[in-house]
Amino acid sequence: MSVKILLTGAGSGIGEAVYKSLRMSRLPIEITGTDMSGFNSGSFRCDKAYKVPCAGDEKYAKAIIDICGREKTDMVISGSDTELPVLAKIREQGLINSTVLTGSVKSVNICRSKKECYKFFSEKDMPFVHTAEYAEVDKIIQKYGFPIIGKPAGGSGSIGVKVFFKKDELELLEDKNNYVFQEYLIPDKWNIDKGSIKREDIFTKSCLVQKDEISIQVLLGKQGEILGTFMSKNVLKLGIPIKIFPFRDSLCEEMAVKMAKELAHEGMEGPVNLQCKITGRGPVFFEINPRFTGITSVRAELGFNEVEACIRHYLLNVARHGIEGCLNTDYTKAVCRYLDEVTYPKDKLNELENNNFVDNN
């Protein structure tokens, strides 16, 4: 009998990565995808697909609940950031019989707010980068100097990210009250003093340089135990990892595990992604996402199939020692990513757009 998975945000980069990981697993799986757009690659890879309202729409939760009931879904997996708070609420209120793979509302909200993340971890003396709203940005400037980085408060994937080298540039930012600001972290490997860093060190052809960023995926179990970890050093372009180099660093890994366990105390379960740079002060974390990521399928290709591990642990009640075979990383390889295409009949697209449902079998 197949395990029935509802994959939300099926057309997103995260959704596609989860889909690929599901297809790589050794389990018999039937995938129903949802997305707010019919025209996307993920919906037509899934066995069935539904078009649903966006996560901010009051009708979204009911749509997900109805689909889970209709499809007799075993587990719900989120493929997008914006759906996580709603799915966490559905789970917490027990509105469906399906297993919803997400943390508590509180733990998800901590991670989704960079300011709350900073407050949460700084109170525990853990190295999350100093983060403040515009009204308090001078504290960051006085302590760390320029450059500083600005990020949309509810953003993800490096969309809208800006770097400022002087106060005049910062004051010209439109919508500055909807941004948060952080110290710009310089990897120790760059061997550049912060006082002498230049714009060309950070920007190439008007694109933000994103290299020597470390991603640590921590998989939490039902009791807050660590099921597995995966580390990689990534090169990104426009916020998307394009070169992935798996490696191990005990200091980064130990701190990431400690931070994930603190989130587990607040109800976090399943995947947590922590991103850091190794600076002169050691590893400093700047982003934490309570979910799978766009390179989840890359990790699966290298032997760390965290999606299958979560299904076995959370749905099939397999203990930690029983899922270790899903989480054996091959650290001798590296990965380069590329674009892919999905071709499907126009009548299937019209069916999904007009009826909000398509069966791809």
Side-chain angles (χ1 to χ4, degrees):
M1 183 178 293
S2 296
V3 176
K4 294 188 175 184
I5 302 295
L6 181 68
L7 174 59
T8 73
S12 70
I14 300 166
E16 289 182 353
V18 172
Y19 168 86
K20 291 178 182 178
S21 299
L22 288 168
R23 292 303 189 209
M24 279 187 261
S25 79
R26 295 161 292 173
L27 295 167
I29 292 174
E30 180 182 315
I31 308 172
T32 297
T34 67
D35 202 282
M36 65 180 185
S37 168
F39 196 10
N40 68 78
S41 61
S43 293
F44 294 92
R45 285 176 165 176
C46 297
D47 298 294
K48 298 177 183 178
Y50 287 84
K51 185 178 174 183
V52 297
C54 69
D57 192 309
E58 60 182 15
K59 297 178 181 177
Y60 171 80
K62 184 179 186 305
I64 296 298
I65 292 167
D66 288 347
I67 293 167
C68 285
R70 188 177 306 122
E71 299 296 338
K72 297 180 172 56
T73 300
D74 296 309
M75 176 178 275
V76 180
I77 299 176
S78 175
S80 76
D81 283 293
T82 54
E83 292 171 297
L84 281 169
V86 186
L87 294 176
K89 187 175 180 180
I90 288 173
R91 174 197 175 205
E92 213 156 270
Q93 295 181 349
L95 299 177
I96 55 176
N97 294 323
S98 313
T99 297
V100 183
L101 187 61
T102 183
S104 66
V105 171
K106 182 178 181 181
S107 64
V108 167
N109 287 341
I110 289 171
C111 293
R112 282 186 49 75
S113 167
K114 295 174 181 65
K115 184 180 176 183
E116 286 301 313
C117 235
Y118 168 65
K119 179 181 177 183
F120 180 79
F121 287 111
S122 62
E123 287 174 352
K124 296 166 175 38
D125 199 27
M126 292 180 168
F128 192 88
V129 67
H130 193 152
T131 306
E133 295 176 344
Y134 181 72
E136 297 181 331
V137 72
D138 284 340
K139 293 180 181 179
I140 297 177
I141 297 170
Q142 290 167 9
K143 187 170 183 178
Y144 301 104
F146 284 102
I148 64 169
I149 191 164
K151 303 177 180 180
S156 64
S158 299
I159 297 172
V161 170
K162 301 179 185 298
V163 180
F164 305 94
F165 286 81
K166 53 187 179 180
K167 192 68 179 290
D168 290 349
E169 295 174 354
L170 180 59
E171 290 173 351
L172 290 173
L173 175 66
E174 295 181 7
D175 209 22
K176 58 178 68 71
N177 290 322
N178 288 323
Y179 270 70
V180 293
F181 301 89
Q182 298 176 333
E183 169 198 4
Y184 183 87
L185 298 171
I186 302 173
D188 199 38
K189 184 178 179 181
W190 289 13
N191 197 29
I192 301 175
D193 179 75
K194 188 161 190 178
S196 61
I197 196 165
K198 300 179 179 64
R199 190 175 296 274
E200 53 264 34
D201 296 320
I202 295 177
F203 290 95
T204 302
K205 297 179 180 178
S206 300
C207 292
L208 183 66
V209 172
Q210 292 179 280
K211 62 180 182 178
D212 297 311
E213 295 189 4
I214 295 169
S215 169
I216 306 153
Q217 193 78 350
V218 179
L219 207 57
L220 292 167
K222 296 178 183 179
Q223 308 303 321
E225 72 274 33
I226 304 299
L227 301 178
T229 62
F230 177 104
M231 289 186 61
S232 62
K233 190 174 291 184
N234 303 332
V235 176
L236 296 85
K237 185 175 182 179
L238 300 176
I240 300 173
I242 55 172
K243 298 177 184 178
I244 297 95
F245 303 89
F247 84 118
R248 303 297 294 270
D249 181 280
S250 59
L251 191 59
C252 289
E253 186 172 6
E254 288 170 10
M255 183 53 68
V257 164
K258 287 180 181 177
M259 294 169 79
K261 284 184 174 179
E262 289 295 337
L263 289 169
H265 294 325
E266 305 299 331
M268 181 58 66
E269 295 183 4
V272 183
N273 182 258
L274 302 97
Q275 298 170 33
C276 72
K277 295 180 184 179
I278 299 177
T279 71
R281 307 197 302 272
V284 180
F285 291 80
F286 59 89
E287 186 91 26
I288 300 180
N289 294 303
R291 53 166 171 76
F292 296 118
T293 75
I295 62 168
T296 289
S297 54
V298 170
R299 291 189 283 267
E301 286 276 4
L302 295 170
F304 190 88
N305 196 327
E306 60 203 279
V307 181
E308 179 178 353
C310 282
I311 294 171
R312 291 185 182 277
H313 180 69
Y314 282 96
L315 184 61
L316 306 179
N317 296 311
V318 178
R320 177 183 175 182
H321 67 272
I323 62 172
E324 290 174 350
C326 302
L327 303 173
N328 291 323
T329 302
D330 184 350
Y331 280 98
T332 68
K333 296 178 181 177
V335 179
C336 185
R337 300 174 78 202
Y338 66 97
L339 289 174
D340 200 358
E341 295 81 32
V342 177
T343 303
Y344 45 84
K346 288 181 181 178
D347 60 352
K348 288 286 187 181
L349 172 60
N350 292 333
E351 186 178 345
L352 179 56
E353 288 284 15
N354 296 329
N355 302 327
N356 297 329
F357 172 74
V358 66
D359 189 330
N360 293 316
N361 292 307

